[in-house]
Amino acid sequence: ELSILQSEVAKMTVRLREQAERLSGEKARLADAIADISHQLRTPLTSVRLVASLLEEPNLPETRREELLTELQDMLERIGWLIEALLKLSRLDAGTVTFRADRVPVSELIQKAVAPLAVSMELRDQQLEVQLEGQPMFTGDLPWTAEAVGNILKNCMEHTPAGGKIAIFARENAVLTEIQISDTGPGIPKEEQNKIFDRFYKGKNAAPGSIGIGLALARQIISAQNGTVKVLDRPGGACFAIRFYKSVL
């Protein structure tokens, strides 16, 4: 009986130690997330304060005031997007997100991902070409996956010159559903292709004002749904391949 008791106490000790280690890890991740948010918000908030001080000048011309107000609005929208993206990353890090496993038409996913970018693409005179092989479906969470695909599309849009083209191709087979997103921009240097999904990484061709968080968020969302995303080495622009693998064949 004493041996059994000793064994149970040892098991309980191990479980308590593992729980303490998990809690310590969660605290460390929370501290890192708070540090990331603080660091990334410092620069735009400084700019907001500067613009606000300029707006206080009594003799400021009306045209200049309108320019500063527009600039201030853009900054505030960017701060809002940044906070939302960082909080989503923090939730994913903490494992508090529950993804749905719905059968969703890829056409619906593309439509939802493109919608927030449609006006910006039109203003840039960019052409969007969508090609579906049959009627592909994928199993996953539509809102979260649309966020991921939208971030990749946004990256392509920002790196495609005016008058360029962004193409989406999708197919489904017995093993996986694949979505390829390509553009006619400068492409991604080979040495950067394995780094661009790292959090806060900015390549040499990064768009002005880029923070380096959109692609990291996209990869984390896709990976959490039994998927992968990578850059295909192709000439004449960038090409991202998203694959959702089927758990039951």
Side-chain angles (χ1 to χ4, degrees):
E1 289 178 354
L2 288 173
S3 296
I4 293 172
L5 179 60
Q6 182 181 11
S7 175
E8 291 300 320
V9 169
K11 291 178 183 177
M12 178 64 71
T13 302
V14 171
R15 285 197 293 268
L16 289 172
R17 185 183 300 116
E18 290 175 348
Q19 185 178 7
E21 290 174 353
R22 284 197 298 271
L23 289 172
S24 177
E26 289 175 3
K27 288 181 180 178
R29 286 193 293 271
L30 178 60
D32 289 343
I34 293 172
D36 287 342
I37 292 171
S38 174
H39 174 73
Q40 294 299 324
L41 287 177
R42 190 174 293 116
T43 300
L45 285 175
T46 301
S47 300
V48 167
R49 292 191 189 100
L50 176 61
V51 172
S53 65
L54 292 173
L55 286 169
E56 291 177 349
E57 294 183 9
N59 298 322
L60 189 68
E62 190 60 29
T63 54
R64 179 56 177 160
R65 187 179 302 276
E66 290 177 359
E67 290 175 358
L68 289 173
L69 285 171
T70 301
E71 187 177 345
L72 182 61
Q73 184 177 0
D74 291 342
M75 289 179 186
L76 292 173
E77 288 178 357
R78 188 168 188 80
I79 289 173
W81 179 88
L82 175 59
I83 292 173
E84 188 176 346
L86 287 169
L87 290 176
K88 287 175 181 176
L89 277 172
S90 299
R91 289 178 62 195
L92 291 167
D93 287 341
T96 60
V97 177
T98 301
F99 290 96
R100 295 175 62 90
D102 299 325
R103 286 289 287 168
V104 181
V106 173
S107 57
E108 185 178 350
L109 169 64
I110 293 172
Q111 184 178 7
K112 190 172 181 65
V114 169
L117 303 171
V119 174
S120 297
M121 293 177 66
E122 185 176 349
L123 291 174
R124 294 167 182 256
D125 194 27
Q126 293 171 342
Q127 178 187 355
L128 178 66
E129 180 182 279
V130 180
Q131 181 182 357
L132 304 180
E133 191 175 275
Q135 296 179 331
M137 308 276 288
F138 86 101
T139 300
D141 190 295
L142 176 58
W144 277 99
T145 311
E147 168 91 16
V149 174
N151 284 344
I152 294 173
L153 281 167
K154 183 173 181 290
N155 182 272
C156 291
M157 180 192 73
E158 291 175 345
H159 290 85
T160 300
K165 184 175 74 172
I166 297 171
I168 303 174
F169 168 77
R171 66 186 180 95
E172 179 187 11
N173 58 33
V175 178
L176 55 83
T177 298
E178 181 178 41
I179 304 170
Q180 292 186 12
I181 303 173
S182 58
D183 62 43
T184 55
I188 302 169
K190 197 171 184 65
E191 64 272 13
E192 294 183 1
Q193 292 179 5
N194 292 326
K195 301 177 183 177
I196 61 170
F197 296 103
D198 294 343
R199 201 170 299 187
F200 305 122
Y201 178 81
K202 291 186 286 187
K204 62 182 182 181
N205 294 327
S210 173
I211 298 170
I213 195 173
L215 292 180
L217 178 58
R219 180 179 65 175
Q220 203 152 342
I221 292 170
I222 292 167
S223 298
Q225 300 181 90
N226 198 31
T228 62
V229 57
K230 65 178 183 179
V231 177
L232 299 182
D233 193 13
R234 289 185 178 177
C239 183
F240 295 85
I242 305 168
R243 292 174 178 172
F244 293 101
Y245 293 91
K246 300 180 181 180
S247 56
V248 180
L249 302 182

